[in-house]
Amino acid sequence: MAEANFIPLSVPNFAGREREYVDAAVVSEWVSSGGAKVTEFENAIAGYCGMPRAVAACSGTAGLHLALLCAGVKPGDEVIVPALTFIAAVNPVRYAGAEPVFLGCDDSLCMDPQLLGQFLEGNTERRGGEVYNKNSGRRIAAVMVVHVFGNLADMPALCEIAAKYGLPLIEDATEALGSRFEAGPFAGKMAGTMGDAGVYSFNGNKIITTGAGGMLISNHGDWAQRAKHLSTQAKSDELYFLHDEVGYNYRLSNIPAALGLAQLAQLEGFIGRKKELYERYRDALDGKVGLRLLPFREGTRPNRWFFSLYLTGAYPLGRDALLEKLKEAKIQARPIWALIHEQKPYRQNEAHGLEKAEDYRARIVNLPCSTNLSERDQQRVMETILSQA
């Protein structure tokens, strides 16, 4: 039970038909991955995103691992990844036996395409039609971009660079379900649908949740087919339990899928509510006493999953001091992630262009953003922040 007057950072909103759908799944006695709700949820996500097929998984992390395998990433390869992201976006590179190369961000908090172009031009060479890192001698097998906090990366530029070098582009859209371009060459395209594969997450704090779970989509039908095969233990004969390669138990079960169907029906309403909350924060805080509420990319309809408050030098408190003041006021907030190349497992990996990522890491506080956050509680958050100046 939540503490009285406590304002959480981000919690689920179960205001729809979640109980009805979950009860139906239980009554059907299909509670494992064999239930009909898994297929229904896959079809619903595919339809929402305008894609031919979606493949359910037990987590977004599992979906990213499957995407890397479908992209042909092999042990000893390298994958270009952002340094500013959650570590779950990078660990699947190691699951595939490859190594990450870290790049910094632009002002969207997403991978900077200029840095990607500079790295590939200055640090790689072609051998037999493939791209190799001159520093390590390893093959560059793919690029993985993360749409941070629902803010779309510069996909036109990133896709152009990846195509120029013949590199598969994987979209970690785990935080960006529902974000889409509204202008430019990808107008109408959803996050996750512009690269070779995209992955969503339905973790407990995402804009829709199944408690845990993920989904892979791909512009290559054979990738989706292979992902489904790998996620279900690579079983080639259902009756006689024959398996043609090493597979994984990455399946989503029927009850979370039922929950996801009810959540997906409310997604557009959740996105609208996020917009209202974001605009109230912006109107009250942006440009006041050294505060900036980071914007989302122009020409897009973001899902605004998280709201990032940037503390300039004019604000009297630093990041950690403000977090402590909010904690004292029973308000949960959090910093952005520590940069991945600084984490113990990745300290020996190559990293480039980190100045902006380091600055944002040091100065961002993420604010309460639940879709069921009341105006009264949001006002308390804003007053607490402003009262420190």
Side-chain angles (χ1 to χ4, degrees):
M1 183 175 294
E3 182 182 358
N5 300 318
F6 175 71
I7 301 175
L9 177 69
S10 179
V11 294
N13 186 340
F14 296 136
R17 302 175 68 182
E18 288 85 1
R19 183 182 293 260
E20 175 189 344
Y21 287 8
V22 169
D23 285 350
V26 172
V27 169
S28 76
E29 298 184 349
W30 282 104
V31 297
S32 70
S33 58
K37 294 299 182 187
V38 177
T39 301
E40 288 181 38
F41 190 36
E42 289 175 331
N43 291 339
I45 290 289
Y48 177 79
C49 297
M51 296 291 281
R53 186 176 180 184
V55 177
C58 59
S59 67
T61 308
L64 291 171
H65 185 202
L66 294 171
L68 290 165
L69 296 177
C70 290
V73 176
K74 296 178 174 60
D77 286 340
E78 290 181 341
V79 178
I80 301 172
V81 300
L84 183 67
T85 185
F86 183 46
I87 201 167
V90 175
N91 284 341
V93 175
R94 284 275 178 87
Y95 302 166
E99 291 294 330
V101 174
F102 295 101
L103 294 185
C105 66
D106 60 19
D107 289 324
S108 70
L109 304 182
C110 304
M111 182 185 288
D112 187 339
Q114 184 175 351
L115 289 173
L116 176 62
Q118 290 172 351
F119 172 77
L120 289 169
E121 182 177 355
N123 295 274
T124 67
E125 61 186 6
R126 302 261 188 173
R127 297 185 209 159
E130 295 188 307
V131 180
Y132 285 80
N133 186 339
K134 291 189 291 187
N135 300 320
S136 66
R138 297 190 184 101
R139 182 178 77 114
I140 304 289
V143 176
M144 184 187 293
V145 60
V146 181
H147 300 298
V148 176
F149 301 150
N151 199 8
L152 285 161
D154 187 350
M155 289 305 295
L158 290 165
C159 285
E160 182 179 352
I161 295 167
K164 176 181 176 181
Y165 288 87
L167 294 172
L169 181 61
I170 296 168
E171 293 179 68
D172 179 338
T174 53
E175 301 168 0
L177 180 65
S179 296
R180 67 168 181 257
F181 279 94
E182 295 194 324
F186 288 139
K189 288 282 191 178
M190 292 279 191
T193 69
M194 292 160 280
D196 293 278
V199 177
Y200 304 114
S201 170
F202 311 117
N203 193 34
N205 66 348
K206 295 299 191 291
I207 194 162
I208 69 168
T209 183
T210 61
M215 194 78 70
L216 177 147
I217 56 175
S218 177
N219 281 303
H220 307 286
D222 56 337
W223 284 31
Q225 183 177 351
R226 177 165 164 74
K228 188 70 171 181
H229 184 62
L230 289 172
S231 73
T232 53
Q233 298 287 20
K235 188 185 294 184
S236 55
D237 189 300
E238 294 286 335
L239 179 61
Y240 292 102
F241 296 95
L242 301 180
H243 306 264
D244 54 21
E245 60 181 311
V246 174
Y248 305 89
N249 185 14
Y250 281 170
R251 299 168 294 180
L252 185 71
S253 64
N254 205 42
I255 289 177
L259 193 64
L261 283 166
Q263 286 274 285
L264 183 60
Q266 302 169 84
L267 175 56
E268 287 298 314
F270 290 163
I271 292 173
R273 178 60 178 156
K274 289 275 191 179
K275 182 174 184 289
E276 292 173 3
L277 293 170
Y278 174 85
E279 290 176 349
R280 289 192 77 229
Y281 275 131
R282 182 194 62 198
D283 292 346
L285 300 177
D286 191 52
K288 311 289 175 55
V289 296
L291 300 171
R292 284 182 53 218
L293 192 65
L294 294 189
F296 291 85
R297 187 177 298 280
E298 292 186 7
T300 71
R301 194 289 298 266
N303 71 3
R304 296 180 175 86
W305 177 57
F306 262 27
F307 312 144
S308 294
L309 186 68
Y310 179 88
L311 310 179
T312 74
Y315 188 71
L317 297 184
R319 179 197 68 179
D320 294 344
L322 178 58
L323 287 169
E324 186 59 33
K325 290 293 184 182
L326 290 168
K327 181 180 178 181
E328 291 171 3
K330 298 184 178 181
I331 297 168
Q332 185 181 28
R334 79 173 193 195
I336 206 167
W337 316 280
L339 302 183
I340 308 303
H341 75 288
E342 297 175 343
Q343 306 293 329
K344 186 175 181 179
Y346 298 109
R347 288 174 186 165
Q348 304 305 313
N349 288 79
E350 195 171 348
H352 298 270
L354 302 171
E355 292 80 6
K356 282 189 177 182
E358 290 169 347
D359 181 64
Y360 283 122
R361 182 271 310 272
R363 294 179 176 274
I364 282 178
V365 171
N366 287 314
L367 304 179
C369 59
S370 305
T371 55
N372 48 19
L373 178 67
S374 70
E375 291 190 7
R376 179 179 178 180
D377 282 350
Q378 187 180 21
Q379 187 64 33
R380 179 153 68 91
V381 175
M382 296 185 294
E383 289 175 354
T384 301
I385 294 167
L386 292 170
S387 68
Q388 308 307 314

